[in-house]
Amino acid sequence: MVVMIMERVPIGLRGELSRWMIEPHPGVFLGHITAAVRDRLWEQCCQASADGGIIQIWSTNNEQRFEVRVYGETRREIVDFEGLQLVRRL
């Protein structure tokens, strides 16, 4: 499972993501895609985000059962606390 949250990105980028994932709420995308597709979408989104921000969360086999990565300016910050990824509001 992959979740991508987009903030202040071009509309065309959201349209591109809608080919692979569903958009249950504006700027929030959800889908079950392969790791290769996930990484390619991440690269594409980072290149096309302009001044926006992106948060990507996906299922994995670790203690928290997910990983998070952030690109650009977002209203949240990911903080590593003794090996756990926590979210801090800015």
Side-chain angles (χ1 to χ4, degrees):
M1 181 71 66
V2 177
V3 177
M4 292 186 74
I5 303 167
M6 315 295 258
E7 296 179 4
R8 301 175 314 278
V9 297
I11 301 254
L13 180 55
R14 289 175 53 188
E16 178 65 30
L17 276 180
S18 68
R19 294 177 182 175
W20 297 93
M21 307 168 88
I22 63 168
E23 188 177 12
H25 185 75
V28 178
F29 294 86
L30 175 68
H32 194 77
I33 54 179
T34 65
V37 172
R38 177 194 71 214
D39 291 341
R40 285 196 122 174
L41 287 176
W42 177 253
E43 291 173 12
Q44 184 177 3
C45 290
C46 290
Q47 292 174 358
S49 68
D51 293 330
I54 306 164
I55 300 172
Q56 187 180 58
I57 306 162
W58 68 95
S59 301
T60 190
N61 191 17
N62 64 13
E63 289 179 0
Q64 287 183 291
R65 309 290 293 166
F66 64 86
E67 287 283 335
V68 180
R69 58 183 165 188
V70 178
Y71 178 83
E73 296 293 323
T74 63
R75 291 181 273 177
R76 304 279 194 262
E77 176 184 33
I78 305 302
V79 179
D80 184 273
F81 182 76
E82 296 183 7
L84 297 176
Q85 292 181 314
L86 305 176
V87 177
R88 176 188 299 162
R89 290 187 213 174
L90 300 178

